[in-house]
Amino acid sequence: MVITMSTHASAEQVSHVVERVNECGYKAHVIRGASRTVVGAVGSSGRRNEIEALRAAPGVESVVPIAQPFKLVSREFRSERTIVEVGGVAIGGREAVVMAGPCSVESREQLFETAHAVRSAGASMLRGGAYKPRTSPYDFQGLGLDALRLLQEASRETGLPIVTEVMSETDVELVAEYADMLQVGARNMQNFALLRRLARTPRPVLLKRGPSATIKEWLLAAEYLLAGGNTDVVLCERGIKTFETETRNTLDLAAVALVREVAHLPVVVDPSHATGRRDLVPAASRAALAVGADGLMVEVHPCPERALSDGPQSLDLEGFARMMESFEEPVRRIARSPNVARPGAGASHTADEDVCELV
Ligand code: PEP
Ligand code: MN
């Protein structure tokens, strides 16, 4: 239930509502907006009719149920978009943010060369796996703590905040010591013990969508984090499993647009895992930005053919720089019938006015 306080509700009136929500067996989540305060009553075993009766409490404007199964994540609860700040970088604001770096941290040289190159090309954050979730136990599993130390050093040298994956709840404390943002990998999206643990960390979380997860399941996974107390959550669409075999996964761009409608959390797109093909990464990235993604997470390697993981989908340093430059161009001009006057346009508009500046 969402209890919206009136614009002139006093602090005591808000406290009273919070107290009543807790007394009724729900957890109260308070959002103090610019003009009014909203109190969310969340839980499954409370006395709902008593919450509904709060309509009559002083300072309360309305009491409305949240229709979606995900509550704190929904825009019904919070209509304003959330901006998540990671080491001084704002995700979810006016500008899209690019996180880039190798799939796995392999060596000091590989990481530092990549970090400097992606920074010069315009990336705002550095990615790199220290603990790798590999399909086969015989594949490279990551350098672990050594990689975390290198990531921290690279961050200090370049000023780029770090995002890296944490695979197990027992690693959360250690990874949080070194990283600015903790990534929940696609395979772990429904690892509820991990989500519960991450809900109690002071670090922002990047929550990847599971390869077989519905949008609802993805948002309910995010709900675990918010319900447990961590509101700094960024969603990441990284492709889902379909019948298609030409690409590694299928990039679900409609999901990005839809999630931005129903949820207030920022959404970024990982075109590397979504396509599995370096040649498709720039086009998929551009499409992601066009549908409103708040950012991109891109795999980059100085020599993809030598990469210990995900080489075929990694851009090389030059390819990444070229892609970043290409974002300066608009998506595509739209051909228009020459003799049709558009509402609001002058009779003699120039061709340049027809450019559809989506990106
Ligand atoms: C990764 O980011 O390197 C990764 C393993 O991604 P995903 O969990 O989406 O497969
Ligand atoms: Mn990878």
Side-chain angles (χ1 to χ4, degrees):
M1 305 283 278
V2 179
I3 303 150
T4 304
M5 306 301 295
S6 61
T7 41
H8 45 264
S10 66
E12 288 73 36
Q13 289 169 340
V14 174
S15 308
H16 172 70
V17 166
V18 169
E19 238 168 70
R20 284 294 296 132
V21 166
N22 291 329
E23 275 170 17
C24 294
Y26 291 98
K27 192 161 181 222
H29 293 260
V30 181
I31 295 182
R32 288 175 216 282
S35 62
R36 61 179 80 235
T37 297
V38 168
V39 182
V42 179
S44 54
S45 52
R47 299 187 299 278
R48 191 186 163 106
N49 55 337
E50 289 183 42
I51 298 290
E52 280 167 8
L54 282 175
R55 284 193 182 100
V60 171
E61 188 175 280
S62 66
V63 179
V64 182
I66 301 177
Q68 302 280 16
F70 41 89
K71 309 292 178 189
L72 301 173
V73 163
S74 79
R75 287 194 96 172
E76 292 169 76
F77 175 56
R78 183 185 163 97
S79 53
E80 267 171 61
R81 301 211 60 80
T82 291
I83 296 181
V84 174
E85 196 153 313
V86 185
V89 174
I91 309 177
R94 233 180 64 80
E95 294 179 323
V97 165
V98 177
M99 315 168 188
C103 175
S104 308
V105 176
E106 298 168 6
S107 67
R108 168 184 292 274
E109 297 67 36
Q110 172 244 21
L111 182 65
F112 278 58
E113 189 182 352
T114 312
H116 282 288
V118 299
R119 181 174 175 269
S120 310
S124 313
M125 285 180 63
L126 179 65
R127 66 146 286 149
Y131 299 91
K132 296 304 302 177
R134 303 306 302 280
T135 303
S136 162
Y138 307 117
D139 287 340
F140 176 61
Q141 303 286 308
L143 296 180
L145 180 57
D146 288 341
L148 292 178
R149 291 196 176 115
L150 288 171
L151 283 164
Q152 189 178 56
E153 233 185 280
S155 171
R156 288 194 178 137
E157 197 170 293
T158 58
L160 298 176
I162 296 299
V163 55
T164 194
E165 177 163 353
V166 58
M167 281 176 29
S168 137
E169 64 201 281
T170 52
D171 294 338
V172 169
E173 207 174 317
L174 177 73
V175 180
E177 249 180 70
Y178 291 88
D180 300 281
M181 182 180 221
L182 305 183
Q183 175 176 328
V184 176
R187 295 160 186 80
N188 257 328
M189 189 203 84
Q190 284 187 318
N191 178 342
F192 300 115
L194 176 62
L195 296 175
R196 281 208 185 87
R197 177 65 190 84
L198 286 169
R200 293 185 283 108
T201 164
R203 292 276 178 268
V205 173
L206 182 76
L207 179 63
K208 288 198 150 189
R209 180 183 182 183
S212 309
T214 64
I215 293 171
K216 207 173 272 173
E217 288 164 341
W218 185 22
L219 296 179
L220 281 168
E223 185 80 9
Y224 269 87
L225 296 166
L226 272 71
N230 193 343
T231 52
D232 289 330
V233 177
V234 175
L235 300 162
C236 178
E237 158 62 35
R238 46 77 75 203
I240 52 173
K241 290 240 177 283
T242 65
F243 50 82
E244 184 55 71
T245 54
E246 292 298 310
T247 49
R248 183 176 177 182
N249 290 289
T250 295
L251 175 53
D252 187 1
L253 284 177
V256 176
L258 177 60
V259 165
R260 290 184 93 262
E261 295 267 320
V262 299
H264 56 82
L265 300 173
V267 192
V268 302
V269 166
D270 170 348
S272 310
H273 293 87
T275 62
R277 290 173 48 155
R278 168 183 323 120
D279 59 333
L280 299 182
V281 167
S285 299
R286 176 167 277 250
L289 295 172
V291 296
D294 294 295
L296 300 170
M297 181 189 245
V298 185
E299 287 188 340
V300 180
H301 194 284
C303 184
E305 69 170 65
R306 289 175 189 266
L308 298 183
S309 59
D310 289 347
Q313 67 193 32
S314 300
L315 292 172
D316 62 16
L317 307 182
E318 213 185 292
F320 178 71
R322 258 201 314 274
M323 177 177 84
M324 292 294 282
E325 260 171 48
S326 77
F327 293 151
E328 302 302 319
E329 298 288 318
V331 165
R332 191 86 192 247
R333 283 170 183 261
I334 303 292
R336 290 182 179 278
S337 286
N339 299 322
V340 180
R342 279 181 295 139
S348 62
H349 62 272
T350 64
D352 273 355
E353 286 176 283
D354 281 342
V355 173
C356 176
E357 295 217 32
L358 291 175
V359 178

